[in-house]
Amino acid sequence: MLGNGNPQDEAEQETAMEVSHEKELQRCMNPKTIKALVEHDCDLSRLRPITNVFLSNDPRLASRIEHEMAVRGFAATNMCVLGRSEDEPRNSIGATIIHSVEISWIDQMTDTCIEVASDCGAEYDGWYTETD
């Protein structure tokens, strides 16, 4: 049985299942992104800016995302609205964190970003960093 008949409880359970599924998908993508960095001869031990991208119809959400990230132990050094593209009408909000690229830390970071996106009414769209 999914819920107890309370629509709010059922909605919360559904959201939790969606968040869990998104985390699982992102954890499959993280090693592929790291492998691509290695193929470009990136020094993964070097501290580098890692930008997490959130999608939202509300560009003012950046300050709330920054706060929610900080509450969860991730200090974003630069919050900005990256803009919109032809394929994506929503605003892209970037939250940059300075860290080395280690799979366990990246998984923890992306899990947190997915939770923050869910709590803020945004969508997490992944992360990127500079190549050396």
Side-chain angles (χ1 to χ4, degrees):
M1 181 174 191
L2 180 61
N4 60 8
N6 182 333
Q8 183 175 355
D9 289 346
E10 289 180 9
E12 288 173 6
Q13 289 176 344
E14 186 174 326
T15 298
M17 288 172 46
E18 289 171 2
V19 166
S20 178
H21 180 70
E22 287 179 40
K23 286 179 182 180
E24 184 180 319
L25 292 175
Q26 186 62 48
R27 282 180 175 243
C28 290
M29 291 302 301
N30 289 340
K32 294 175 184 178
T33 303
I34 291 171
K35 181 180 178 187
L37 290 169
V38 169
E39 289 171 355
H40 282 87
D41 296 323
C42 287
D43 178 3
L44 301 182
S45 65
R46 176 175 78 78
L47 293 179
R48 60 180 65 244
I50 300 170
T51 301
N52 293 280
V53 180
F54 297 84
L55 301 176
S56 171
N57 290 321
D58 184 357
R60 298 168 297 173
L61 208 55
S63 61
R64 181 163 176 219
I65 290 171
E66 180 180 28
H67 171 76
E68 292 297 326
M69 293 290 289
V71 166
R72 291 167 169 89
F74 289 88
T77 60
N78 183 27
M79 294 294 299
C80 62
V81 177
L82 302 170
R84 299 176 183 215
S85 69
E86 289 181 17
D87 337 350
E88 179 54 64
R90 295 174 291 177
N91 292 288
S92 295
I93 300 169
T96 302
I97 299 170
I98 306 296
H99 205 278
S100 58
V101 179
E102 303 161 11
I103 188 64
S104 61
W105 187 87
I106 293 291
D107 283 344
Q108 181 183 3
M109 177 194 70
T110 57
D111 284 356
T112 299
C113 289
I114 290 165
E115 292 166 5
V116 166
S118 177
D119 290 350
C120 292
E123 180 182 335
Y124 182 63
D125 195 39
W127 62 276
Y128 64 89
T129 190
E130 303 168 345
T131 55
D132 294 330

